Amino acid sequence: LYAVWSGYTSATNSEQKLYIAKMSNPYTISSSRTAISQADKSWELISSSTKINDGPAFLKNKEKNKFFVVYSCNGSWTKNYRLGYIMLNDTLKDPTVKANWTKSSLDIFYRCDDTSSVDGVNGVGHCCFTKSPDDSEDWIVYHVKKRNDSGWGSGRSMFMQSFGWKADGTPDLGAPVGWGESIAAPSGESR
């Protein structure tokens, strides 16, 4: 068992990294924390002087035996909020060793309608993953910022959509949907 979370590097530094620690049971951390990701790519450093990796979510491709931690970067209060991932290179390797993880070379999920007077999709992030009711489809649930303002005043909304996988086993989240864009209902959903 492992816990992964976003945390500050120190009490006086606002940089947020992704940390991992072993657990002895579902509610007890049993090791010191190890940083496994930090904002160091150009697409993670667009809109804020603060380096941020936050909102980690687990995702596994069972067919390809690949394990991912999908996370958000850039400030959640900005239109540049987006998703990336780190992938465990070998699921038999120790996940508490940073060198055993590979970061996506580019962001994997982003949209900015750049709207200021009407609701749009202006940054996406902080996601989780689920299955369709019949267990045949993978779905992402995420939030969007409604306006391009620098803050949360215009609000955020939850969106969801299905996604697939690339031939190499990495997630293919597609493009974030927008307001009024129709999508198919989850497979197996009763109407």
Side-chain angles (χ1 to χ4, degrees), residues 88-145:
L88 191 60
N89 295 324
D90 180 341
T91 56
L92 298 177
K93 289 189 175 179
D94 184 352
T96 65
V97 176
K98 184 177 181 178
N100 291 339
W101 295 88
T102 300
K103 186 178 283 192
S104 54
S105 58
L106 299 170
D107 57 78
I108 62 167
F109 202 57
Y110 173 69
R111 176 172 171 168
C112 181
D113 296 341
D114 215 11
T115 55
S116 60
S117 59
V118 296
D119 290 343
V121 176
N122 297 285
V124 297
H126 214 150
C127 69
C128 64
F129 299 97
T130 190
K131 300 290 279 185
S132 60
D134 66 4
D135 206 40
S136 69
E137 298 172 336
D138 293 303
W139 283 72
I140 180 173
V141 180
Y142 56 97
H143 70 70
V144 304
K145 213 170 123 32

